[in-house]
Structures are given as structure tokens and as C-alpha cells.
């Protein structure tokens, strides 16, 4: 077949760009070591409103992950954005030479890393300046023939306004959020490494977003994709493993948020500050949704009662539906309807029978605590293949004051066929993603002391 000369030249240029990026991506992830995560913030809602919004966002995200295997912050819904209780964690780094600061949502449910860029033609408000690619001496862009471009779900070849032949991406999300821009590469600089000095990694792909919409707070500028796909940061940094340790959620700490840790290729740190035995379970893969981290959940125990639920309720089906995932971007854990019904009923039965609490009139998985009562909250345990997660009380109970009374709520939600383990259940849990061996390990830890 005859190929025109312009196409040949573009293909040659694409090969040269690929070689340039490949040659510059030889990085020592261990030199990066430790990266600090912060929390997006709690907003100004009451405890009940915050729980309702967290539930709304978690359910909507679970639907989106089930449908597409991609993620993004959710539409704000009926409340104003400044009141929206974002519950994600943020990674701070610099892009370009010299480094320009960006603050990205840490997301294990997506692959593309992107930030808002100049000229930002339609963008959400952010406190930091938009990334100025013209001010970086190391910025380059991928051509549409490049492998990196074709890893994207939606891409096209840019015309003159974009740069002829450049890779133009559009990343859609199930809640109508999106980012649209040009796929480029540049040096990423991580602060707070194990040596205390910034570490720079050249040639990292990222989306330079010129049209972006969705619900974001002004202290974030985009998303850092930590999924399993070829464009994700773990893949591009060639990590054998990474781990995170989320500090106590601001809702559980009177609004006080302490930094969390993200560790890259530092498995020995899993045992530092551990409180108990390290548990390990296989990481499963779903060919239909290759980005997401799946686990083998076998059952749930409330108090001393194992719920009468077949393992198939949590299992990944042969057609790619169902299954159990662990997700940094979801707030609360969601379980299938039949599991939630049994979980809620057993928890309420044990709690009310023990005395000291009555079922809330507005929400049957919330309970009003009797003043002065000594409350006995049933334990909650998740059983995985080869591992057991005994959840601390603050990881499944949402507690708030209302009209002079104390209310507690079970922080597990009814979802669809897929079970999603959210970040509220991962507080003060050091979680290690062993990518080289397809295993996930976890241990209780005091994450603000890690």
C-alpha cells in the first residue's frame, strides 16, 4: 500500500519522539521515595449533610467505575461547590523546567495524569497559576501516531491550533465531567523524598487540559492517575510497588487534617509503625477494566456473626461484572444490595439489643445514642483470600453531634453489583500495592507517625 510522504514524515517524527521519551524515562523511583499527600478539605456542612454528600459521591463514583473503569470528581449536585465535602487526597509535585507547582487528586481508579494549562479556554477555578507550557524548556508533545496517544480511549490528530499531528485527547467521565487538551511530556519534580531533596523524573506523559469541567476545589489542578494502565504514573515510573497510609479523616478528627504518606518502591516501610500482623491478599485483574485494582473478598462478619452471603456476591464474574475493588477516590465502601440489606440488619440488631442506642427516624443505618450510655458497637471484619481486615471503629462508624444528641451511622452503602472499598475504610491502614507480584498487603498503622 502506498503511503504518502507527509504520513511517513509524521511516523518518523513519532518514532523520534518515542525514542527521546524512552531514553529520558530511565528513572530511579527509589530516589523519589516518599511523597506527601494532603486532604482536599471538609467544607462547611453539618455532620448529617456531609455524610449524605459523601454517600452521594461514593455511589455515583461506584456506578461510573462499574460502567467505564475511569474516574473523576463528581458533579456538585444541589449544594454549592464550596460546601461540597470532597474526600480525596492530593499529591503535590512540580511539572516542567523550572518546576511549576500542581496539586493533583491521587486516584487509583484512573490512568491519565493531567493538569489545567494555559491558555485555559474553559476551566474550573484554581488558586495556583495554570501550567504554562511555553515557560518550560523541557516540554514536548506526543504525535497522534505515538503509542502513548493510542493508549488513550479517545484521541485525534490536532490541526494548526493544536500543533499539526499532535495528540489531542478527550477524557470523558460518567458524570459528564471531562478534560480535553494535548498529550505532552515533561519533567516531574517530587518534593519531600526520602533524602529530603526534590527528585526529578524527565519525560513523563501528562494531559495539558485546555477545556476541563467537573466538581473540583480551588486547591486542586487535575488528577494523578495511579491505575494499572500503561499511561499511569506507576507504569511510567516503572514501579515494582507503591504504598499509601491515609491519616485520620478530617470528619473523624474535628476538622484537623494531617498529611498522609505515599511511598514509591519502599516495601520495607510497610513494617514501620505497624500495629499488628501484615496481611496479604492477591491482586486480581479484570481484562474488561484493566485500570482498576481488584481483590478477592470472601465475606463479612458483624460482631461474631458471619453474614450468610455466598462468596459469589463479591466475586468477579467471567463477563467482567461484579467483583471487589480498592479505590482511593471513593469515600465510603459500597456493597451489593443483598449484602447491604443483611449487613445493615445484623448491625442494627446487635447494636440496639446491646442497649444505649435507637434507630434514627431519618436514616435506618444511623442511630441516636442515649445520653450517658456506654455504647457497645459491633465489630466489623472483612475476609479476603488469605487475609483478614479487622476494621477499627472509626473506619466504619461516622459520628456527629446534632441538636445536642450524638448520632452514629454505619459508613457502608448500598451499591450495585460491584463492591468498592473506599478511603474512609482505609484510614490509618498502610496499604502496599505489590505490582511485581500482583499482591496487596496491609497493616494497621498510625499514619501521621509514619
Amino acid at each position: 500500500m502506498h503511503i504518502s510522504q507527509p504520513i511517513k514524515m509524521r511516523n518518523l517524527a513519532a518514532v523520534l519522539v518515542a525514542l527521546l521519551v524512552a531514553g529520558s524515562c530511565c528513572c530511579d523511583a527509589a530516589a523519589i521515595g516518599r511523597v506527601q499527600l494532603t486532604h482536599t478539605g471538609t467544607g462547611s456542612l453539618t455532620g448529617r449533610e456531609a455524610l449524605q454528600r459523601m454517600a452521594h459521591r461514593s455511589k455515583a463514583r461506584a456506578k461510573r467505575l462499574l460502567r467505564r473503569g475511569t474516574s473523576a470528581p463528581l458533579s456538585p449536585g444541589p449544594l454549592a461547590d464550596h460546601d461540597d465535602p470532597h474526600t480525596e487526597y492530593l499529591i503535590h509535585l512540580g511539572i516542567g523546567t523550572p518546576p511549576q507547582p500542581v496539586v493533583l487528586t491521587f486516584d487509583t481508579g484512573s490512568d491519565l495524569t493531567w493538569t489545567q494549562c494555559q491558555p485555559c479556554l474553559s476551566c474550573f477555578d484554581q488558586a495556583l497559576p495554570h501550567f504554562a507550557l511555553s515557560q518550560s524548556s523541557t516540554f514536548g508533545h506526543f504525535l497522534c501516531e505515538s503509542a502513548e496517544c493510542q493508549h488513550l480511549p479517545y484521541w485525534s490528530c490536532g490541526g494548526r491550533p493544536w500543533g499539526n499531528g499532535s495528540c489531542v485527547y478527550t477524557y470523558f467521565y460518567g458524570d459528564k465531567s471531562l478534560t480535553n487538551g494535548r498529550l505532552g511530556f515533561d519533567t516531574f519534580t517530587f518534593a519531600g523524598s526520602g533524602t529530603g531533596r526534590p527528585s526529578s523524573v524527565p519525560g513523563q506523559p501528562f494531559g495539558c487540559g485546555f477545556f476541563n469541567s467537573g466538581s473540583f476545589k480551588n486547591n486542586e489542578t487535575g488528577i494523578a492517575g495511579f491505575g494499572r494502565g500503561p499511561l499511569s504514573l506507576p507504569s511510567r515510573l516503572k514501579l515494582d510497588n507503591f504504598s499509601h497510609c491515609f491519616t485520620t479523616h478530617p470528619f473523624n478528627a474535628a476538622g484537623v487534617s494531617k498529611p498522609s504518606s505515599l511511598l514509591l518502591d519502599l516495601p520495607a516501610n510497610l513494617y514501620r509503625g505497624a500495629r499488628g500482623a501484615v496481611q496479604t491478599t492477591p491482586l486480581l485483574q479484570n481484562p474488561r477494566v484493566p485500570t482498576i485494582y481488584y481483590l478477592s473478598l470472601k465475606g463479612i462478619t458483624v460482631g461474631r456473626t458471619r453474614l450468610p452471603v455466598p462468596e459469589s456476591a463479591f466475586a468477579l464474574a467471567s463477563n467482567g461484572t461484579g467483583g471487589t475493588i480498592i479505590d482511593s477516590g471513593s469515600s465510603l465502601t459500597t456493597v451489593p444490595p443483598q449484602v447491604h440489606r443483611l449487613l445493615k440488619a445484623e448491625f442494627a440488631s446487635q447494636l440496639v439489643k446491646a442497649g444505649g442506642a435507637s434507630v434514627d427516624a431519618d436514616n435506618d443505618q444511623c442511630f441516636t445514642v442515649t445520653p450517658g450510655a456506654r455504647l457497645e458497637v459491633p465489630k466489623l471484619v472483612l475476609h479476603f483470600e488469605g487475609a483478614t481486615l479487622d476494621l477499627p471503629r472509626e473506619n466504619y462508624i461516622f459520628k456527629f453531634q446534632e441538636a445536642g444528641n450524638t448520632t452514629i451511622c454505619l459508613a457502608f452503602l448500598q451499591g450495585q453489583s460491584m463492591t468498592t472499598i473506599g478511603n474512609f475504610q482505609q484510614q490509618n491502614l498502610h496499604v502496599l500495592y505489590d505490582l511485581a507480584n500482583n499482591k496487596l498487603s496491609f497493616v494497621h498503622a498510625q499514619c501521621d507517625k509514619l
Side-chain angles (χ1 to χ4, degrees):
M1 180 178 67
H2 176 72
I3 301 176
S4 66
Q5 186 66 23
I7 295 295
K8 286 184 177 179
M9 292 302 295
R10 286 208 303 270
N11 286 339
L12 176 60
V15 171
L16 291 174
V17 168
L19 289 173
L20 173 63
V21 174
S24 63
C25 280
C26 296
C27 60
D28 182 3
I32 301 172
R34 179 187 299 268
V35 179
Q36 189 177 88
L37 300 175
T38 58
H39 205 273
T40 50
T42 61
S44 57
L45 304 177
T46 67
R48 187 178 294 273
E49 289 171 336
L51 179 61
Q52 290 171 345
R53 294 311 303 277
M54 289 169 67
H56 167 73
R57 291 171 65 88
S58 297
K59 287 181 177 180
R61 181 176 170 93
K63 288 180 182 178
R64 183 174 61 255
L65 290 170
L66 180 67
R67 182 167 61 249
R68 289 176 175 263
T70 56
S71 60
L74 300 177
S75 301
L79 294 181
D81 180 66
H82 69 274
D83 284 331
D84 199 18
H86 290 227
T87 51
E88 296 87 7
Y89 293 83
L90 303 175
I91 179 171
H92 300 247
L93 64 146
I95 298 180
T97 306
Q100 300 174 44
V102 298
V103 182
L104 310 175
T105 299
F106 171 66
D107 188 8
T108 58
S110 67
D111 293 328
L112 179 66
T113 294
W114 62 271
T115 191
Q116 299 198 116
C117 293
Q118 294 180 7
C120 224
L121 303 176
S122 178
C123 295
F124 55 86
D125 291 336
Q126 64 177 58
L128 289 171
H130 298 134
F131 177 76
L133 54 92
S134 63
Q135 295 178 18
S136 173
S137 62
T138 47
F139 176 83
H141 66 268
F142 288 101
L143 299 181
C144 54
E145 292 92 350
S146 66
E148 285 80 1
C149 187
Q150 295 179 36
H151 286 318
L152 292 161
Y154 301 100
W155 58 271
S156 61
C157 290
R160 181 173 296 176
W162 298 92
N164 286 337
S166 62
C167 178
V168 177
Y169 74 87
T170 302
Y171 221 63
F172 289 103
Y173 301 99
D175 63 344
K176 299 183 180 179
S177 296
L178 65 86
T179 175
N180 169 241
R182 186 164 63 168
L183 186 67
F185 60 89
D186 211 331
T187 298
F188 282 17
T189 299
F190 297 85
S193 66
T195 62
R197 298 187 300 272
S199 299
S200 296
V201 185
Q204 292 302 300
F206 74 104
C208 220
F210 304 128
F211 300 87
N212 313 293
S213 64
S215 174
F216 295 81
K217 280 190 172 290
N218 68 359
N219 62 346
E220 51 192 321
T221 69
I223 292 177
F226 265 74
R228 307 188 77 168
L231 281 180
S232 73
L233 272 172
S235 295
R236 302 304 300 193
L237 294 174
K238 298 179 172 58
L239 299 182
D240 286 332
N241 63 75
F242 69 91
S243 67
H244 58 69
C245 200
F246 295 149
T247 53
T248 302
H249 198 287
F251 291 115
N252 278 351
V256 177
S257 179
K258 296 182 179 180
S260 301
S261 294
L262 172 64
L263 307 177
L264 307 180
D265 267 348
L266 294 175
N269 281 273
L270 184 65
Y271 302 92
R272 180 181 175 184
R275 295 179 169 182
V278 174
Q279 304 278 330
T280 300
T281 188
L283 276 174
L284 308 180
Q285 290 186 302
N286 182 354
R288 292 179 180 268
V289 193
T291 292
I292 298 176
Y293 298 94
Y294 281 81
L295 304 175
S296 181
L297 180 63
K298 300 296 187 180
I300 300 175
T301 293
V302 180
R304 296 182 178 180
T305 302
R306 179 92 171 227
L307 297 181
V309 177
E311 293 183 3
S312 59
F314 306 106
L316 181 62
S318 58
N319 64 358
T321 61
T324 300
I325 70 169
I326 183 168
D327 181 38
S328 68
S330 295
S331 304
L332 306 177
T333 292
T334 61
V335 294
Q338 70 273 28
V339 178
H340 184 260
R341 183 170 58 253
L342 292 170
L343 171 62
K344 183 174 63 173
E346 184 62 35
F347 183 85
S349 174
Q350 292 187 28
L351 182 67
V352 173
K353 185 177 180 180
S358 58
V359 178
D360 185 85
D362 297 324
N363 188 330
D364 64 358
Q365 66 182 67
C366 291
F367 307 86
T368 302
V369 179
T370 304
R374 184 178 179 274
L375 195 64
E376 295 184 18
V377 178
K379 293 183 69 63
L380 194 58
V381 179
L382 304 182
H383 303 280
F384 297 94
E385 180 180 341
T388 299
L389 176 54
D390 189 342
L391 288 170
R393 176 172 166 174
E394 62 270 17
N395 284 26
Y396 63 95
I397 292 296
F398 192 95
K399 180 180 178 181
F400 56 90
Q401 301 293 321
E402 187 176 60
N405 296 318
T406 299
T407 299
I408 64 169
C409 298
L410 178 62
F412 273 64
L413 305 173
Q414 176 179 312
Q416 295 184 315
S417 63
M418 185 172 68
T419 296
T420 303
I421 299 173
N423 60 47
F424 194 85
Q425 279 65 46
Q426 299 176 54
Q427 297 173 95
N428 289 308
L429 195 68
H430 195 169
V431 181
L432 171 69
Y433 295 73
D434 184 350
L435 306 177
N437 298 298
N438 275 320
K439 295 179 180 179
L440 183 126
S441 297
F442 54 85
V443 65
H444 295 290
Q446 189 173 348
C447 290
D448 62 349
K449 303 294 184 183
L450 191 65

